[in-house]
Amino acid sequence: MKNNDLTLKIMAFKNIRKPSDFDPAKIHFAPEYLYLENIYSPLVEYNVNGELVSGVAKNFRWEGNQAIFEIREDLYTADGYKITAYDAEKSFKRLFILNTNTHGNLKDMLCPNTELKSIGESCANIEVRDNGKTLVMKFKKKHPFLFPMLTAIDFAVIPSISIDEKTLAIKDHRNTSGPYYAISEENLDLEANKKHYHYNKKMPQKVLYIYENDINNFDLIKAFSEKKHDHITTVSSTPDKLIPFARANKEVVLHKTYPFWLRLVSFTAKGRREISKKERFEIGETLRKILLDCYLKSEGYEIAEQIFPSIAEGNLSSEQLNDINKLRNSFSIPKINKRKMIAWYFPQEFLSEIKKYFPNTQFIYGKGIPGIIDYKKEGFEEPHFYFSGTDMSFQEDISLISYHLSKDMFKTSGKEAKEWLKDYMETDDKVERIKKLNKLHYETLSEGYVFPIVFAPYAAILRKPWKFGLSRYYANNPIWRIYRE
Amino acid sequence: MDKTQKEIEKSIKKLTSKIIIFDLIILIILLLIGLIFNSYYKQRIADQFSKALRNPLISGDNRYVVTELSHSVLQDFQVFSWVKNDTVVFSVPETSFPKNPFIYSKAEVPIYFDEDKKNEVGKLAFYYHRLSFVPYIFTIWLFLFFVSLFFLNREKKRIIKDYSVLMELELNKYKSELAEKLAHDIKSPLSVIESVCKDLKEDKDKAELLRKVSERIISISQDLLEKYRTEDKKDVVRQESIDFNKLNEVLSEVVSEKKILNPRINIQLEVSKFDCEFIFNKEELKRIISNLLNNSMEAKAESIKIKVFDDKDNIVISVEDNGRGMESEIVKKVGEKGFTYGKTEGNGLGIWSAKKTIEKYGGFLEIKSELRKGSIVSIKIPFKKSKVYVLIDDDPLVRKNWGITAKNKKIKLDSYSSFDEFLNKIDFYGKETEIYIDSDLADGVKGEEVSKKIYYLGFKNIYLETGYEKNKFKNLNHIKDIVSKTPPF
């Protein structure tokens, strides 16, 4: 790598080839989130210390029940289009119309009974003032978690000129609100937007995505060693592979978050309906034991007793945890289950061991997130349970809670989950909200809907002289926080 | 003494004032440090609280801040408030703000929207009691104050002791000068008396009388001189090893003199051969024997026998006469200062002085007497022993180590844990004794200082034993050498 070369090479994500494959209104997987946070910016952001800071809005505040956002006056797209409050307004209207976003339910808070048909229609509770300098959201009451929720990239500001007003598709990825824009609509390559507030000369000026045809058999670390790319992101590999690799290679820089990446087994709506609680515990605890045996042999993993990290908000009290462990202990011996079932996303390397106990279960690699996808449309039969890895965060994060509720991860699902979230968001007292979250958490575990397996940190590596400026509190991998002196 | 008393009081007053000033300065310094530290500490805590309060505040969740976080904040602060555009949004508790700037201070932390800290959201103000640390500071100061009191007390004792030693030395010096002056002053008239005696050939009795009187006066003046000789001047009295030949020579000289002066008295000298030596000053020995012979002659003895023999450990010189003797009650009192018997002009210092001198050399004087039959006065002086080493070290392990080595090598070693302990036994040691002093004695007493005192007391073979490098010690000309903690023998 040349010293003055500020181009960063990253492996392209599996099955994602073009910018148009991404949409803030429809984020299901982490790689989508990671790409979108580079090309779009929300009104409000978290900095590396977990503090709420200005995003597209330079100021944000509550005035009574109104959330006021003063938009930056010096934010332009790559082609010089000035981003205003009107762009933010249209981005939110687009989101309300599509109604498919997964990280927070702003629509129910802002205009619950209004069905917008086009972004040209006015919405009484969103107002642009001062010739596009200020965006005002009018609520029935103050929502303290609004600003944290708006940090999710679902609520990114998309310049109006990039949106097709008829189809609501994003037609242009060059004029974006983020620190980067897509150089072409044909590939994922990015270039820094010099007019963006996050822009600096030390960050990668270009990001080139490297494509691999046989992605399923592709060895990401080997390709890194062969200098095919310079960066493995937080969601591209696992800590048990990256930590030892970084330790053994002096040219590698490692970034590691706190351990809040949860691996879990969750029963879908179908699983919960068809399988009894006792049998769910038998299946869940058998899988938990097999997977723990596999994971704990590797570096970076620790046993997960509950869904939230032990120091996080909404975690279980010691009494609750004792109750759960009592239940678990009565199913401590792995049991062979001959029921015909469908299971998704179990790690290939552990399948032979798992199949010994589930001889009649069909283990497949599905598509989309159970609970979110339309099985019929995608041509799949709904699984009974699935394995996943997910970001659990340390603090109350309404966007993550919303995401988890939408994917059958807690006790509630579907409409019931939406109602629960609505009620949760209506609760002003944080202590009360955390109690509700705790109750949901406890019931999810005690009913045998979810079986947490292990926690691990998110890990990423870079080739020197690149350095990390990422936060240890979040799984995000914003490219503009990577730099070199 | 009044003057000394005043000087002691003055020194103690000076020391007390110094310590009081020191304590006050320490108190002021502690208060200043406390003030600075309190301000720094409160600002730091305020910064940390601000980080914790930032997100709820910026999200408008004032309720959470007030209900859940205020308890933690109020453990360190009296009041905290959230101020936006110079308007107080809320304060906890909802009372008026502390106004007295001498008692209360404020740690202010601005909170910004952006990471560049250009766009301010508002300020968190934390009010705290400036003097909240005072009880802690005062407790620390009290502890230091009591330590200084202990130190003051110890120093007071040291001053008094130093003054006492100094005064004793001064007094001895004064007495010595007085005795010297007296001896000098009476020498001239005595020489006149002596010359007159020579001319009084016709009247032999009168001449004899005058001669005895002059001898007596010389003896008294000599006693005075010896008694009040100061330590430094005593060094002039050279200690020497006396063997059989030398003793024989000394005694023969004295006996010859006495025989010439008293030809009618039969004085016999019986000296048994001995191989050892003993330490004494030849002139002192002569004077003592002369004194004893004079006493016998005063007691109207016709025959005097001087016997010299050894009793294994001591050389014994006995003066045996057939004079008038003494009653046992009288014998008991002989040797006491000022006690005199059977002499019209006796001052009671002769035997007392002889006894003291003999004791100085580790010996003793013994009197046996029987009324009308005679007396036997025996001097017992210990034979010269092997070399004695003295160790002054507060470390029992060092003392033990030296002790074991000395024992193995059959060397005489006397160990002391402090200078004071050594001081009590100082008279037992000849000035040639090798003295080893620890450079760091207990209670902060420095070996260098102790060595100076010992040197001043006349000892010349002083060594400083230390664990430090030699070059740490400077200007110690009175010290022979600086040695390690390993026994030198």
Side-chain angles (χ1 to χ4, degrees), chain A residues 46-47 50-54 58-62 142 144 147-148 313 429-431 433 481, chain B residues 51 54-56 58-64 67-68 84 112-116 119-121:
Chain A
Y46 276 122
N47 68 11
E51 296 169 343
L52 278 174
V53 292
S54 310
K58 64 177 180 183
N59 288 350
F60 47 95
R61 63 186 180 277
W62 283 99
K142 191 158 75 175
F147 298 147
E313 288 172 322
D429 186 344
K430 184 172 178 179
V431 178
R433 284 204 307 276
R481 290 211 185 275
Chain B
K51 278 183 185 169
R54 187 184 183 283
N55 279 359
I58 214 165
S59 306
D61 200 352
N62 298 349
R63 177 196 175 119
Y64 180 66
T67 56
E68 293 302 309
K84 282 171 96 172
Y112 297 92
F113 280 110
D114 54 334
E115 288 183 87
D116 298 333
N119 211 348
E120 191 178 287
V121 186

Side-chain angles (χ1 to χ4, degrees), chain B residues 135-394:
Chain B
Y136 304 104
I137 293 292
F138 198 67
T139 310
I140 295 168
W141 182 79
L142 264 184
F143 172 73
L144 293 175
F145 178 73
F146 284 119
V147 169
S148 69
L149 278 189
F150 168 76
F151 176 74
L152 175 66
N153 196 38
R154 208 187 66 177
E155 283 303 294
K156 267 184 188 176
K157 283 180 183 170
R158 193 186 60 79
I159 287 171
I160 292 167
K161 196 171 177 181
D162 284 357
Y163 265 100
S164 306
V165 171
L166 198 67
M167 279 312 298
E168 201 174 327
L169 289 168
E170 288 278 329
L171 192 62
N172 284 344
K173 195 179 168 190
Y174 171 74
K175 285 175 183 173
S176 166
E177 283 169 2
L178 192 68
E180 257 182 51
K181 192 171 181 299
L182 181 66
H184 176 264
D185 289 351
I186 61 172
K187 253 183 190 168
S188 300
L190 279 173
S191 61
V192 174
I193 294 168
E194 211 169 8
S195 64
V196 170
C197 289
K198 283 173 189 168
D199 297 338
L200 283 174
K201 285 175 184 169
E202 300 84 23
D203 194 341
K204 280 188 180 175
D205 287 345
K206 283 183 183 173
E208 181 62 16
L209 182 66
L210 271 173
R211 194 187 54 74
K212 281 186 178 176
V213 169
S214 69
E215 257 186 8
R216 188 87 195 104
I217 295 168
I218 289 167
S219 174
I220 292 166
S221 73
Q222 197 64 34
D223 284 345
L224 266 175
L225 202 59
E226 278 307 308
K227 182 175 181 303
Y228 295 114
R229 200 184 287 269
T230 51
E231 291 299 327
D232 55 335
K233 287 182 180 169
K234 276 180 186 172
D235 286 343
V236 179
V237 178
R238 198 166 62 86
Q239 295 182 354
E240 55 195 302
S241 290
I242 297 176
D243 58 7
F244 168 77
N245 293 328
K246 208 178 261 182
L247 179 63
N248 211 2
E249 187 187 307
V250 167
L251 295 176
S252 301
E253 198 180 314
V254 177
V255 169
S256 303
E257 274 177 24
K258 296 297 171 189
K259 273 183 177 175
I260 292 165
L261 289 170
N262 303 282
R264 287 171 297 178
I265 300 172
N266 177 24
I267 304 174
Q268 292 173 24
L269 182 62
E270 284 179 22
V271 183
S272 304
K273 178 81 179 165
F274 61 90
D275 294 328
C276 297
E277 293 177 347
F278 62 94
I279 302 289
F280 223 92
N281 176 268
K282 208 165 74 176
E283 294 307 316
E284 280 181 328
L285 188 61
K286 259 188 206 175
R287 194 163 44 79
I288 290 167
I289 301 297
S290 171
N291 211 332
L292 296 178
L293 289 173
N294 287 349
N295 286 346
S296 293
M297 287 182 240
E298 292 280 352
K300 305 292 180 193
E302 289 169 359
S303 169
I304 302 171
K305 195 179 277 179
I306 301 171
K307 286 183 184 173
V308 176
F309 58 92
D310 73 85
D311 71 348
K312 288 185 184 175
D313 294 329
N314 305 295
I315 184 75
V316 184
I317 305 167
S318 72
V319 177
E320 196 177 325
D321 67 54
N322 60 350
R324 60 176 173 255
M326 292 174 282
E327 290 172 354
S328 59
E329 291 304 310
I330 302 296
V331 172
K332 282 178 193 169
K333 290 184 181 177
V334 175
E336 285 180 12
K337 194 177 180 183
F339 179 78
T340 182
Y341 176 71
K343 293 181 186 177
T344 48
E345 293 169 22
N347 59 10
L349 291 173
I351 294 291
W352 176 79
S353 171
K355 196 180 167 190
K356 285 284 162 195
T357 306
I358 294 160
E359 282 174 358
K360 191 175 77 182
Y361 291 96
F364 59 93
L365 187 135
E366 197 177 81
I367 302 169
K368 288 177 185 169
S369 188
E370 204 174 329
L371 197 63
R372 287 184 289 278
K373 283 191 176 174
S375 304
I376 303 170
V377 181
S378 302
I379 301 165
K380 290 189 178 181
I381 307 160
F383 284 124
K384 186 179 170 185
K385 288 177 183 169
S386 55
K387 193 173 177 179
V388 178
Y389 291 85
V390 168
L391 170 67
I392 306 172
D393 197 315
D394 63 310

